[in-house]
Amino acid sequence: MTRVFSGVKPTGHLTLGNYLGAMRRWAVVDQYQSDALFCVVDLHALTVDHDPARVRRLSRQAATLLLATGLDPELCTLFVQSHVDEHARLSYVLECVATDGEMRRMIQYKEKAARERQRGGSVRLSLLTYPVLMAADILAYGADEVPVGDDQTQHVELTRDLAVRFNQRYGHTFVVPRATPPAVGARVMNLQQPLSKMGKSDDTGPGIVYLLDEPDAVRKKVTRAVTDSGQEVVYDREARPGLANLLEILAACTGGNPEALSGVYESYGALKKDTAEAVVEVLRPVQERHKELCADPGYVEGVLRDGAQKARAMARPTVDAAYRAIGLLPADADIAVTA
């Protein structure tokens, strides 16, 4: 089976965008059609200023929500990144293959570093090097496919480059993965800033629907969503991004088509009302299952423990092979000392 690796970074509460854009497909499609690994990539959350207690809390919440969306530990491997030492072990080896120029060309690093310089500060070294850790996350498991959005495609390309370079220099060790785009129509934008995606690290709360939002909070956010000038309900992402976002959310929740749905409505108000209710209904089973899982924390802990053990067994042979290939002595080698 094709092996797929995907991760969730615990830097904020998971959103409707995370669910419709990726998590729902993981539960409905990927875990059945592939050898799938899903990881809470908590080490990546340390690249910026953070509250340690909050990272732990969000890591547990992310794992619980992944289970609540339908991931089955009998079908897939669910674990926390920091529970598997092979990620950090391989990351350093890959840093010895990557170049400074490659790291500084990463778009996210350039954007975040520029913003920090404008404020008179500086960024952590880990922000520069974390794409190598991401490469290690993928290469350690021999993943064939990495489902990512446009903003992460550059990182998968770096992963491919590092794998090819390592294989050429030190012998074939890694599978060279490919990025696979998410399903068409699953892009969810910020309700208040429809030109920006609905990100969990964003601070524009009214524009973000979180997976654990109460139904009334969901209705309020959708009802107050930014639309566009004009009266007619038409689907045009370029000219009417706010309206298009609502139609795409409704389509994603109901299995419809945004263009076809646009012909059903004569007013923004009716569209917003139906979209809000569709979102509430999509989130209802996730929230109910999340509540059940929170009442049984031992189950979640057991899933993560077993998942880490399984992931470790999958990653260790590849990482050990990379260590040998690059010239490091095996830890259990019998070293013969000769005169």
Side-chain angles (χ1 to χ4, degrees):
M1 296 177 69
T2 299
R3 180 166 289 175
V4 174
F5 179 93
S6 295
V8 171
K9 185 163 61 173
T11 51
H13 298 288
L14 293 172
T15 72
L16 179 68
N18 297 129
Y19 179 62
L20 296 179
M23 294 166 65
R24 183 170 64 174
R25 178 178 174 82
W26 296 349
V28 175
V29 178
D30 290 339
Q31 69 173 341
Y32 293 98
Q33 296 185 358
S34 61
D35 181 7
L37 296 102
F38 302 106
C39 181
V40 179
V41 288
D42 54 345
L43 294 175
H44 291 292
L46 310 184
T47 60
V48 295
D49 287 340
H50 63 277
D51 174 10
R54 185 170 187 265
V55 171
R56 284 191 291 270
R57 185 169 62 253
L58 289 176
S59 296
R60 178 180 292 277
Q61 184 186 89
T64 305
L65 279 169
L66 285 169
L67 289 170
T69 61
L71 290 188
D72 183 346
E74 296 297 322
L75 298 174
C76 65
T77 304
L78 175 61
F79 64 105
V80 175
Q81 180 189 32
S82 63
H83 294 177
V84 181
D85 294 345
E86 278 63 32
H87 292 257
R89 288 181 62 209
L90 184 56
S91 182
Y92 179 74
V93 167
L94 294 178
E95 283 186 16
C96 298
V97 178
T99 67
D100 176 74
E102 286 175 317
M103 297 298 97
R104 296 187 187 279
R105 284 195 294 272
M106 292 292 109
I107 294 173
Q108 291 194 26
Y109 171 76
K110 290 196 293 186
E111 291 178 348
K112 291 180 180 179
R115 287 198 297 268
E116 198 60 38
R117 281 195 296 270
Q118 289 178 349
R119 291 195 287 261
S122 61
V123 296
R124 299 182 180 189
L125 177 62
S126 56
L127 184 66
L128 177 66
T129 60
Y130 96 88
V132 179
L133 175 58
M134 181 176 174
D137 298 337
I138 298 165
L139 297 179
Y141 298 100
D144 302 292
E145 296 182 357
V146 188
V148 292
D150 293 340
D151 59 331
Q152 293 294 329
T153 300
Q154 186 185 34
H155 290 159
V156 180
E157 288 303 313
L158 172 68
T159 302
R160 291 173 54 84
D161 291 343
L162 295 180
V164 170
R165 189 178 307 152
F166 190 100
N167 290 346
Q168 290 175 342
R169 290 181 181 178
Y170 306 112
H172 184 79
T173 305
F174 298 118
V175 172
V176 180
R178 59 185 176 274
T180 55
V184 176
R187 179 173 58 174
V188 179
M189 311 304 280
N190 190 298
L191 295 174
Q192 293 298 316
Q193 300 173 5
L195 296 180
S196 302
K197 73 173 186 177
M198 187 181 287
K200 62 180 179 296
S201 301
D202 204 332
D203 58 3
T204 53
I208 305 170
V209 174
Y210 297 104
L211 294 188
L212 297 179
D213 273 348
E214 294 289 338
D216 285 346
V218 172
R219 295 184 181 100
K220 180 182 291 186
K221 290 177 179 180
V222 175
T223 300
R224 296 181 178 179
V226 169
T227 49
D228 313 280
S229 58
Q231 300 297 321
E232 188 179 4
V233 178
V234 295
Y235 179 69
D236 186 336
R237 173 153 285 285
E238 296 299 321
R240 312 280 286 279
L243 193 57
N245 188 37
L246 289 172
L247 288 166
E248 289 184 356
I249 291 172
L250 179 59
C253 289
T254 61
N257 177 279
E259 286 193 61
L261 286 170
S262 67
V264 174
Y265 294 95
E266 297 182 354
S267 70
Y268 292 171
L271 171 61
K272 287 182 175 182
K273 182 178 183 297
D274 283 0
T275 301
E277 293 306 318
V279 172
V280 168
E281 289 307 309
V282 159
L283 295 185
R284 189 186 306 280
V286 175
Q287 294 178 353
E288 290 176 352
R289 179 58 178 152
H290 177 267
K291 185 176 180 180
E292 293 173 357
L293 290 167
C294 286
D296 187 8
Y299 172 76
V300 178
E301 292 172 3
V303 168
L304 296 179
R305 182 174 57 252
D306 293 345
Q309 184 176 357
K310 184 178 175 182
R312 199 176 300 118
M314 296 167 70
R316 182 164 293 169
T318 298
V319 177
D320 285 349
Y323 268 51
R324 291 193 299 271
I326 206 169
L328 300 176
L329 283 174
D332 57 352
D334 292 326
I335 303 175
V337 179
T338 59

